[in-house]
Each structure stands twice: as C-alpha cells, then as structure tokens.
Amino acid sequence: MTSALATDDLAAGVRAIASAAREAGREVARLPSARKDAALTAMADAIDAARGDLQHENERDVDAGRAKGLEAAMLDRLRLTDQTVDQMIAGLHQIAALPDPVGAISDLTTRPNGLRVGKMRIPLGVIAIVYESRPNVTADAAALCLKAGNAVVLRGGSEAIHSNRAIAARLRAGLEAASIAPGAIQLVDTTDRRAVHELLRQDD
C-alpha cells in the first residue's frame, strides 16, 4: 500500500504518501453526501467480512507486545476483540448516519447595510493524525475525515503496525467499492520514528 517506505529514502516515501492524499483529497472534497455515506457503509462491510484476518494480524501485534514486556493495560488497548470489531463497524455506520457537515452555515447575521454574513464549513484538504496503539482509532479517524470531505494520513503506534495495515487495507477497499479514490486514506506504513518528523514537514 505504501511501498515507497520500504526504500532507504524515507523522506521521499512520506512525501509520496502526502502527495497521493492531496490528490485524492481534491476528489473527496467534492463528493455528495450519498457517495460518502455509501463509502462508509462499504468500509463497514469490508471490516466485517475480514474480521478473522484482522484479528489474526492483531494477534501478531499482541504477541510482539507481550514479548517486549508491554503492561497488561497496554495489551488490552491493543487487542481487537469481537466486541472491538463490532464497535468499529457500528462507528462507521453511526458516522454515515450523521448530517453532512460540508456546506453547513452557522452564525448567520445581517449587517446594517443588508449584507448577510455567516460561517460555512468546508473541507480542510488533507488531515494528518498521529495516535497511540489503539487500532480501532484507524477506522474512527478515517471515517470522520471522509465524512468531512477530507483525505487523511494516519500514523498509528508502532505496537499496532500489523493491525493498522490490515484495517487501513479494508477501509481502502471500501472506498474502491464506492468508486472513490483509495488514496484518500493513507497509512504511514513504517515503525520508524523519523516518519513522523517527515510527515510534519509536508506543509504544502
């Protein structure tokens, strides 16, 4: 999914991820509500269909965490149980059911000269999210960004790398099923801490 990060040039790999997200973000910003909601539903279906694979990949993370001596509380946050997967699926459906924030107008006032002034919600473009080793956040964060018309670059905790890869792949499959550019959901697919620094440099 992000093979550029497998090369020695980490900076170029992160740059490629950010560029792909920006390109896809232009499409996502123009999507009507129905298309976004269809994608969110397809993402939920993809997660549900792959729950066995997701939990298998998650066990790799849990086993590695246990070998590294992670505390029991951290292992609990890391683990994808049946209930956690159900919550991810329910969260995707709940976000799909929310009103579309794009284009919503608030604080509308009329100036003395008759001019009406208000605030309109518009997409930001690309949002980067760095978060801890709680893999269900991968689905939650991606879904919220899509609903708001944004592409997203995700960088989860290194302890959940296999889980995050698997979840992100299913989310992107949901986008493809809804005929939306899968590049709208990008995962920084490395545990190298330098990747976060490179990501923060992508201010254009």
Side-chain angles (χ1 to χ4, degrees):
M1 180 170 53
T2 50
S3 58
L5 293 182
T7 71
D8 292 333
D9 195 345
L10 183 68
V14 173
R15 177 74 177 179
I17 287 172
S19 296
R22 182 177 61 182
E23 183 65 27
R26 296 189 178 104
E27 173 190 339
V28 172
R30 299 190 299 268
L31 289 175
S33 300
R35 291 277 306 282
K36 291 186 288 187
D37 294 343
L40 290 164
T41 299
M43 288 156 63
D45 291 343
I47 292 289
D48 193 18
R51 66 169 63 222
D53 291 337
L54 297 181
Q55 290 175 318
H56 173 74
E57 292 301 307
N58 179 248
E59 279 302 313
R60 296 176 64 186
D61 291 328
V62 173
D63 289 344
R66 190 180 294 114
K68 284 194 272 186
L70 292 184
E71 295 181 359
M74 175 64 83
L75 291 174
D76 285 342
R77 287 196 293 271
L78 181 60
R79 187 172 282 109
L80 280 179
T81 65
D82 285 331
Q83 182 181 12
T84 309
V85 177
D86 288 341
Q87 289 170 347
M88 274 198 296
I89 294 167
L92 288 162
H93 286 299
Q94 289 166 3
I95 293 169
L98 292 172
D100 192 336
V102 178
I105 298 175
S106 61
D107 299 333
L108 192 62
T109 60
T110 302
R111 307 297 294 171
N113 64 357
L115 180 66
R116 303 185 75 194
V117 180
K119 298 177 182 178
M120 177 182 287
R121 294 179 178 178
I122 63 171
L124 296 173
V126 178
I127 297 175
I129 301 179
V130 180
Y131 52 101
E132 62 174 9
S133 301
R134 196 184 290 268
N136 55 298
V137 174
T138 301
D140 295 341
L144 288 168
C145 289
L146 177 65
K147 185 73 177 190
N150 299 296
V152 65
V153 179
L154 302 164
R155 206 289 186 177
S158 59
E159 293 84 2
I161 185 65
H162 296 101
S163 305
N164 290 335
R165 285 171 179 163
I167 293 169
R170 273 59 184 197
L171 298 176
R172 289 163 63 94
L175 291 179
E176 288 189 280
S179 300
I180 296 173
I185 297 175
Q186 294 285 338
L187 178 72
V188 178
D189 188 19
T190 178
T191 59
D192 193 327
R193 293 178 180 271
R194 294 177 301 155
V196 174
H197 174 71
E198 293 298 336
L199 182 60
L200 295 175
R201 294 179 60 192
Q202 310 306 314
D203 58 2
D204 58 338

